[in-house]
Amino acid sequence: MAAVYSAAATKISVTPITHNHSPFLPKSSIQRFSLKPTFNRHSLKSKIAFLRRPISCNATSSNPNLPPTRPKYIPNHISDPNYIRIFDTTLRDGEQSPGATMTSKEKLDIARQLVKLGVDIIEAGFPAASKDDFEAVKTIAQEVGNVVDSEGYVPVICGLSRCNVKDIKTAWDAVKYAKRPRIHTFIATSGIHMEYKLKKSKAEVVEIARSMVAYARSLGCEDVEFSPEDAGRSDREFLYEILGEVIKAGATTLNIPDTVGITLPSEFGQLIADIKANTPGIENVIISTHCQNDLGLSTANTLAGAVNGARQLEVTVNGIGERAGNASMEEVVMALKCRGDNILGGLYTGINTRHIVMASKMVEEYSGLSVQPHKAIVGANAFAHESGIHQDGMLKHKSTYEIIAPEDIGLERANEAGIVLGKLSGRHALGDRLTELGYELNNEQLETIFWRFKSVAEQKKRVTDADLIALVSDEVFQPEVVWKLLDLQVTCGTLSLSTATVKLIDADGKEHIACAIGTGPVDSSFKAIDLIVKEPVTLLEYSMNAVTEGIDAIATTRVLIRGDNNHMSTHALTGETVQRTFSGTGAGMDIVVSSVKAYIGAVNKMLGFKAQPEAKVDAERSTVSV
């Protein structure tokens, strides 16, 4: 904020001045603020103190750990014009990331964590993709969509569908068990999509959209969201027309997607402003954004949309999603928390940010998609300070180089009591440190981690935070057990063929043993597992990292596999049948054991993903005329 005031001024008042250089606002409506002196002596000191205060998240709220009161949910109206609904699509768009397939149990766990965060809408999946997707969405609707807290909060459970009768009916059959069900249907509106993908005229697309929104409402669904796919490259006048028609048909939310991530913040902000100004009936619906990250601008575009009138923002945890991903939930939410009051016109969300770290870790482990160390908000280096100048400033005052307190997102600072975890440490010290790292574990999980911790501590003088994170990943964030490693013996080297003998135990407790030879100890171990499991798979990726320095470091391994016989699903945007891939992670001081655990984890995820007959959906891409 630019300020101009006189030393003799006794009062400061704010008046808007036209400004034409904001990346967020359309030129016609951008304002900056200048300060003009008037004559009241009593508030001068407080005004100047306000201007000179450090800009940080902690300066925006008297109690930053508690979210503001959430307005009563009405599908097409928000009583507080500054409230922003958070629509989380981690379980739908996020799962479209290669290798990010999650089982029904994992999706349910994440949905429950999203409730702790307080997201307004959970897009639980694309029910028509497969029978397992349908059952996962239905389970979330039943078990998560009916739990009302003391303040009346319960998330909307949403299912995605293409604009055809079968998809919409399937979506409704999955979400209708929730207290607040929503159908989200879409059709492409850009010239390139209509010509080459849909092969339909504008009039045909408008009629399909109108009739399918009306059909969704006819099923009894009072909350219908419509998306014009590739809106960022669509003709403006055509957008106004089709959006006006779906409003008349009963749509309650209009989602404006930058499907290919091509727009800049000024462009996307102008798009939202133009839609708000020119679409008939727009005052009767909520405008939403969905920004892809192909140019690295998804968070900026999302915020630009909010400033220009969007009141629902579609995001994913860790920013996972198709291609380069989506707008990151933690980035969007913390930007609103930090700058909502003094820059973004008072915009705010109902998110309890103290659950961000746990949600990030859970999604990272279940999806198998690692968070880069320098990722904003949740990366390992987000609150690390190595520069001597920075460290000096942090020691003098934390706000010198931190605009966000790690405690605000559920990451406690390392304890200052001088406690070092080792082989003599007990459950209490271990539990406290895991809590500080953002983990919320029950007694059974803590007991399992404790004995793994003791085993590692016997071999290492000091167990680091990185070691603990690897152990939690290996024990807590694992798929349902179908096969479990009991014993492993390998021989390898230059004098003989690499050989592995593997003993696994199945879900019924029966032991199975197999021996195989291979090009190395890992290859022979994987082949022995294949002999036991008898499920043909292809190994697509294999990677390993040491979590700390030193010869005694714990190794973490990630594998990505694809089943050769089944596990097909329908891609939401293209309508193509795709083969699912499954990831697994393992950790241990023995790199071969770590690798075997990761491979078994991926196999368990694949086997746990029910191989039931596919839900019959129309093969025509993206939409079917009715």
Side-chain angles (χ1 to χ4, degrees):
M1 186 182 338
V4 181
Y5 58 90
S6 166
T10 54
K11 183 180 179 182
I12 296 175
S13 61
V14 177
T15 57
I17 295 178
T18 301
H19 191 288
N20 294 320
H21 302 288
S22 169
F24 288 149
L25 297 171
K27 293 180 179 179
S28 60
S29 63
I30 298 174
Q31 297 176 334
R32 68 179 172 88
F33 295 95
S34 71
L35 302 174
K36 291 186 176 181
T38 56
F39 295 95
N40 186 330
R41 296 180 179 275
H42 300 290
S43 59
L44 177 60
K45 291 183 178 179
S46 62
K47 295 288 186 181
I48 293 176
F50 173 83
L51 291 170
R52 291 177 175 173
R53 81 200 193 290
I55 297 176
S56 70
C57 290
N58 296 329
T60 64
S61 173
S62 58
N63 192 344
N65 295 330
L66 296 177
T69 303
R70 189 189 309 267
K72 179 181 178 182
Y73 184 78
I74 302 171
N76 65 335
H77 178 70
I78 301 175
S79 59
D80 185 344
N82 288 334
Y83 184 76
I84 299 289
R85 288 177 180 167
I86 296 299
F87 177 113
D88 186 277
T89 183
T90 303
L91 298 176
R92 201 277 302 169
D93 197 316
E95 203 202 10
Q96 289 178 201
S97 301
T101 299
M102 292 176 269
T103 65
S104 295
K105 176 188 176 297
E106 291 170 340
K107 291 179 181 179
L108 184 60
D109 287 345
I110 291 174
R112 287 172 172 153
Q113 185 63 27
L114 294 175
V115 170
K116 292 180 180 180
L117 275 167
V119 302
D120 300 274
I121 302 100
I122 298 174
E123 189 167 50
F126 176 36
S130 69
K131 181 65 174 175
D132 192 83
D133 283 281
F134 175 87
E135 291 298 334
V137 175
K138 179 179 176 181
T139 299
I140 290 171
Q142 292 172 324
E143 299 193 21
V144 176
N146 285 281
V147 180
V148 184
D149 72 8
S150 58
E151 297 180 354
Y153 161 73
V154 60
V156 174
I157 305 300
C158 176
L160 182 72
S161 70
R162 294 165 295 180
C163 270
N164 68 65
V165 168
K166 290 181 180 179
D167 270 24
I168 292 172
K169 181 64 166 61
T170 302
W172 176 243
D173 287 342
V175 302
K176 65 183 180 182
Y177 299 96
K179 283 189 176 294
R180 294 174 178 167
R182 177 186 290 191
I183 294 173
H184 179 191
T185 190
F186 71 94
I187 189 170
T189 55
S190 67
I192 191 170
H193 276 249
M194 289 188 290
E195 180 180 356
Y196 294 105
K197 186 176 77 169
L198 301 182
K199 294 179 170 41
K200 295 186 183 297
S201 67
K202 288 182 177 180
E204 289 175 307
V205 170
V206 170
E207 177 54 26
I208 291 168
R210 185 204 61 76
S211 62
M212 289 300 95
V213 169
Y215 175 67
R217 290 299 300 261
S218 75
L219 295 174
C221 183
E222 298 179 353
D223 195 350
V224 177
E225 178 173 337
F226 173 77
S227 290
E229 185 189 0
D230 203 18
R233 295 190 294 178
S234 298
D235 175 71
R236 287 284 207 279
E237 295 299 326
F238 180 55
L239 275 180
Y240 308 150
E241 177 188 357
I242 193 170
L243 294 176
E245 289 299 315
V246 297
I247 290 173
K248 287 190 285 187
T252 52
T253 298
L254 300 182
N255 180 51
I256 311 303
D258 181 16
T259 304
V260 295
I262 196 172
T263 63
L264 301 181
S266 56
E267 292 178 296
F268 191 75
Q270 188 69 57
L271 173 62
I272 298 299
D274 289 347
I275 288 172
K276 186 175 181 181
N278 295 288
T279 302
I282 197 70
E283 67 278 3
N284 299 317
V285 298
I286 304 298
I287 302 176
S288 172
T289 67
H290 182 110
C291 299
Q292 298 292 136
N293 200 39
D294 296 70
L295 294 178
L297 295 170
S298 57
T299 295
N301 286 345
T302 298
L303 294 173
V307 169
N308 284 280
R311 289 298 176 264
Q312 174 181 290
L313 307 180
E314 302 200 357
V315 295
T316 61
V317 176
N318 297 340
I320 67 173
E322 191 84 18
R323 301 187 312 280
N326 290 276
S328 164
M329 181 275 293
E330 57 276 8
E331 293 175 15
V332 170
V333 166
M334 292 308 295
L336 288 169
K337 181 173 181 177
C338 286
R339 311 312 304 275
D341 281 347
N342 54 358
I343 294 295
L344 303 179
L347 300 180
Y348 71 99
T349 73
I351 297 297
N352 185 340
T353 61
R354 292 187 66 83
H355 293 285
I356 284 177
V357 166
M358 188 60 178
S360 173
K361 293 179 185 294
M362 184 177 289
V363 169
E364 179 181 20
E365 297 300 337
Y366 283 162
S367 68
L369 302 175
S370 299
V371 174
Q372 68 228 48
H374 56 282
K375 169 75 169 65
I377 314 299
V378 294
N381 295 343
F383 297 98
H385 304 274
E386 187 167 331
S387 162
I389 294 174
H390 286 215
Q391 290 175 346
D392 178 67
M394 284 293 295
L395 290 171
K396 291 173 179 175
H397 197 289
K398 291 183 174 63
S399 292
T400 53
Y401 289 102
E402 277 187 1
I403 62 167
I404 299 170
E407 294 85 357
D408 284 354
I409 62 169
L411 183 65
E412 301 296 328
R413 295 184 189 274
N415 66 77
E416 298 176 0
I419 296 175
V420 176
L421 294 178
K423 65 179 182 179
L424 300 180
S425 299
R427 290 176 180 81
H428 185 78
L430 175 64
D432 281 352
R433 187 64 197 126
L434 290 172
T435 300
E436 290 169 355
L437 290 172
Y439 294 106
E440 303 164 11
L441 306 179
N442 58 37
N443 291 335
E444 182 180 351
Q445 291 170 330
L446 179 59
E447 186 70 12
T448 302
I449 294 296
F450 177 71
W451 290 112
R452 281 292 304 277
F453 158 75
K454 295 292 278 188
S455 175
V456 171
E458 288 289 339
Q459 302 175 63
K460 297 188 66 173
K461 183 177 181 180
R462 179 173 178 266
V463 181
T464 67
D465 289 347
D467 294 326
L468 294 179
I469 292 170
L471 293 178
V472 173
S473 169
D474 197 43
E475 291 293 339
V476 176
F477 297 118
Q478 290 294 329
E480 293 180 89
V481 175
V482 181
W483 295 98
K484 184 177 181 180
L485 176 64
L486 199 60
D487 290 310
L488 170 67
Q489 178 68 46
V490 297
T491 59
C492 61
T494 59
L495 300 179
S496 62
L497 292 173
S498 294
T499 307
T501 302
V502 176
K503 181 187 291 186
L504 303 183
I505 184 169
D506 63 22
D508 297 323
K510 184 179 179 181
E511 295 182 1
H512 303 257
I513 301 176
C515 183
I517 59 174
T519 57
V522 173
D523 180 53
S524 57
S525 298
F526 287 5
K527 288 178 177 176
I529 293 169
D530 291 340
L531 291 175
I532 296 174
V533 176
K534 294 180 174 63
E535 281 282 342
V537 301
T538 299
L539 178 65
L540 302 177
E541 294 179 16
Y542 173 90
S543 61
M544 178 178 292
N545 289 293
V547 300
T548 58
E549 61 184 16
I551 195 67
D552 59 354
I554 288 179
T556 59
T557 308
R558 179 181 184 267
V559 301
L560 184 68
I561 65 172
R562 180 182 62 227
D564 293 343
N565 291 337
N566 46 30
H567 308 295
M568 311 298 290
S569 68
T570 302
H571 192 283
L573 298 183
T574 66
E576 294 176 329
T577 299
V578 295
Q579 201 164 13
R580 294 185 184 272
T581 56
F582 303 88
S583 63
T585 59
M589 299 183 73
D590 186 313
I591 61 174
V592 180
V593 173
S594 171
S595 301
V596 167
K597 286 184 175 181
Y599 192 70
I600 293 173
V603 170
N604 281 340
K605 182 178 285 191
M606 182 185 72
L607 296 177
F609 199 89
K610 302 180 181 64
Q612 298 180 358
E614 299 300 304
K616 293 183 179 180
V617 296
D618 207 302
E620 184 175 344
R621 288 190 179 189
S622 192
T623 185
V624 177
S625 62
V626 178

